[in-house]
Amino acid sequence: MFKKFFSAWENDRMTLRFYQILSVCLVGTLFISIMGTLYVAQNTRVVLVPATLEKSIWVSANTADDNYFTEMAVFFAGYRLNYSPPTVDFQFKNLVKYVAPHASGVLTAELSAIASNIKGKNYSQVFIPAEVRIDNRETHSFIIKGVEKHFVGSQLVDEVGKEYQIVFQMLNGKIFVSGFKDYNGQKAAEAITH
């Protein structure tokens, strides 16, 4: 009888020991899985295939493929350089969503002044991009070149070749515009028109 009791007790102890070891293994596996997930989440490249590109592009936490920056330069130039009195508020409001936090206040004030001027003068502008090239890969600076048409009402008053410099900043995989300025103004116009 004692033998039977001790045998059952030994089986219970062995079963308990087995479950303890299994629990420790499962907790260890869970910990390793969590650490692996955190590592992968910080070092993931997302492969994007936009409809306008014939090849895939990638984006990681602090940088991206040149093709991605090229497409985004055209996208942001559309918001900044194509407007009319009825659309200017919408265009500039959407652009500000993508401005780097450190430049947002200054740019918002600048765009607000430009929008007031556009509405007051019934001024419209269209920018037709022709080329995007890398200015400085390390600082994510790109030059977008094209033709800019200026209208007052529906009357075309000016058509010039222009180049703009767009500087991007990547923060945790999200792209921001940290600089957008006229690049070589008159020189660019002469190069396109001749």
Side-chain angles (χ1 to χ4, degrees):
M1 174 161 150
F2 286 114
K3 218 175 200 184
K4 198 184 228 184
F5 174 74
F6 283 117
S7 175
W9 185 50
E10 188 65 32
N11 279 342
D12 289 345
R13 249 182 70 208
M14 292 295 273
T15 302
L16 180 63
R17 173 71 73 196
F18 171 75
Y19 285 128
Q20 287 173 337
I21 291 171
L22 181 63
S23 297
V24 168
C25 289
L26 289 174
V27 168
T29 303
L30 180 63
F31 178 75
I32 290 169
S33 296
I34 290 171
M35 295 307 291
T37 301
L38 291 174
Y39 175 77
V40 168
Q42 292 175 349
N43 297 308
T44 299
R45 282 189 175 182
V46 177
V47 178
L48 304 171
V49 186
T52 58
L53 288 180
E54 293 183 13
K55 50 186 158 175
S56 64
I57 56 178
W58 56 264
V59 178
S60 66
N62 297 319
T63 192
D65 186 47
D66 290 340
N67 291 327
Y68 179 65
F69 287 120
T70 300
E71 287 295 312
M72 295 311 286
V74 173
F75 175 72
F76 291 127
Y79 276 137
R80 174 60 182 88
L81 301 172
N82 295 319
Y83 49 75
S84 64
T87 65
V88 68
D89 290 330
F90 175 80
Q91 293 288 95
F92 289 175
K93 180 179 151 191
N94 282 313
L95 177 62
V96 170
K97 291 178 189 176
Y98 297 99
V99 173
H102 67 82
S104 182
V106 173
L107 185 67
T108 301
E110 179 184 313
L111 292 175
S112 179
I114 293 170
S116 294
N117 192 29
I118 289 166
K119 290 177 197 172
K121 295 181 178 177
N122 197 22
Y123 177 78
S124 300
Q125 177 176 297
V126 176
F127 180 77
I128 303 161
E131 173 188 358
V132 179
R133 67 180 187 276
I134 300 168
D135 184 38
N136 186 327
R137 184 173 276 117
E138 291 176 13
T139 60
H140 306 305
S141 175
F142 288 77
I143 306 299
I144 185 165
K145 178 180 178 181
V147 176
E148 197 171 86
K149 296 181 179 187
H150 305 159
F151 299 85
V152 174
S154 60
Q155 181 68 38
L156 177 66
V157 293
D158 195 16
E159 184 174 327
V160 294
K162 296 286 279 194
E163 287 186 345
Y164 290 93
Q165 179 187 44
I166 303 175
V167 181
F168 296 106
Q169 181 179 6
M170 295 293 294
L171 296 172
N172 298 323
K174 186 173 180 187
I175 192 167
F176 292 97
V177 176
S178 63
F180 196 114
K181 66 178 184 178
D182 196 338
Y183 188 79
N184 292 341
Q186 195 59 31
K187 258 189 192 176
E190 290 171 9
I192 290 177
T193 56
H194 286 89

